Amino acid sequence: MSKCYLDFSGMEKLMERYEKMGGNVKQAAEDALKATHQQITPGIEQAWQPHNVKYTGNTGKTIVKEPRVEWEGLVSSVDIGFDITNGGMPSIYLMYGTPRITPDRNLYNSIYGSKTRKEAKELQTEIIYKKMGRLGG
């Protein structure tokens, strides 16, 4: 599994400002991460489809479908992609390739690509600003 973190330019200052306005920073972070998961997962599922036809489909069943936000101190994250420990290991071979398998850049980019990361950051920023707007900030 890959982890997605709440991460965008100026995030710390923005979150401080949000907290001073009376906003619940922890809830805002969780909402942004859950929305990020919901945005990224359909792209992963779509990128997986060509492999679902070729193979058993068991790896596709390990795509993390429910966002579960985890906290380690002040850092929050949500799992995205394939659950490696529960049968998702073949996704690694497909994304990175092997001597017999050409790397699937589309599958890789659906999780790690710069476009995916950029869209995630934009969504996270938008969610935080909307929450601040509701508080009058």
Side-chain angles (χ1 to χ4, degrees), residues 48 50-58 94 101:
W48 169 253
H51 302 289
N52 207 23
V53 175
K54 293 180 187 176
Y55 304 107
T56 64
N58 290 336
L94 292 169
I101 298 173

Side-chain angles (χ1 to χ4, degrees), residues 52-97:
N52 207 23
V53 175
K54 293 180 187 176
Y55 304 107
T56 64
N58 290 336
T59 304
K61 293 175 186 171
T62 69
I63 295 173
V64 179
K65 301 212 190 295
E66 292 297 318
R68 192 185 60 171
V69 177
E70 297 175 359
W71 286 87
E72 288 184 32
L74 298 175
V75 178
S76 60
S77 65
V78 68
D79 292 329
I80 60 168
F82 297 85
D83 187 346
I84 303 301
T85 58
N86 289 314
M89 188 63 174
S91 68
I92 301 296
Y93 304 130
L94 292 169
M95 285 189 281
Y96 291 95

Side-chain angles (χ1 to χ4, degrees), residues 9-136:
S9 179
M11 181 199 64
E12 287 180 27
K13 289 182 182 179
L14 185 63
M15 295 304 263
E16 276 180 32
R17 190 169 140 211
Y18 180 65
E19 191 171 54
K20 287 178 183 175
M21 294 171 63
N24 183 335
V25 172
K26 186 173 181 177
Q27 187 60 54
E30 288 187 11
D31 290 348
L33 286 170
K34 286 177 182 177
T36 302
H37 178 276
Q38 291 169 343
Q39 178 183 17
I40 293 173
T41 300
I44 297 168
E45 291 172 328
Q46 183 178 1
W48 169 253
Q49 285 309 308
H51 302 289
N52 207 23
V53 175
K54 293 180 187 176
Y55 304 107
T56 64
N58 290 336
T59 304
K61 293 175 186 171
T62 69
I63 295 173
V64 179
K65 301 212 190 295
E66 292 297 318
R68 192 185 60 171
V69 177
E70 297 175 359
W71 286 87
E72 288 184 32
L74 298 175
V75 178
S76 60
S77 65
V78 68
D79 292 329
I80 60 168
F82 297 85
D83 187 346
I84 303 301
T85 58
N86 289 314
M89 188 63 174
S91 68
I92 301 296
Y93 304 130
L94 292 169
M95 285 189 281
Y96 291 95
T98 69
R100 293 185 180 171
I101 298 173
T102 303
D104 183 337
R105 298 305 296 169
N106 190 34
L107 185 59
Y108 176 88
N109 287 335
S110 71
I111 300 171
Y112 303 106
S114 59
K115 180 181 175 192
T116 301
R117 291 175 190 253
K118 180 181 178 209
E119 289 172 354
K121 287 180 181 187
E122 288 172 358
L123 177 66
Q124 292 169 356
T125 305
E126 179 183 327
I127 288 171
I128 301 301
Y129 276 115
K130 279 184 181 178
K131 288 184 172 291
M132 289 178 73
R134 287 187 199 128
L135 292 176

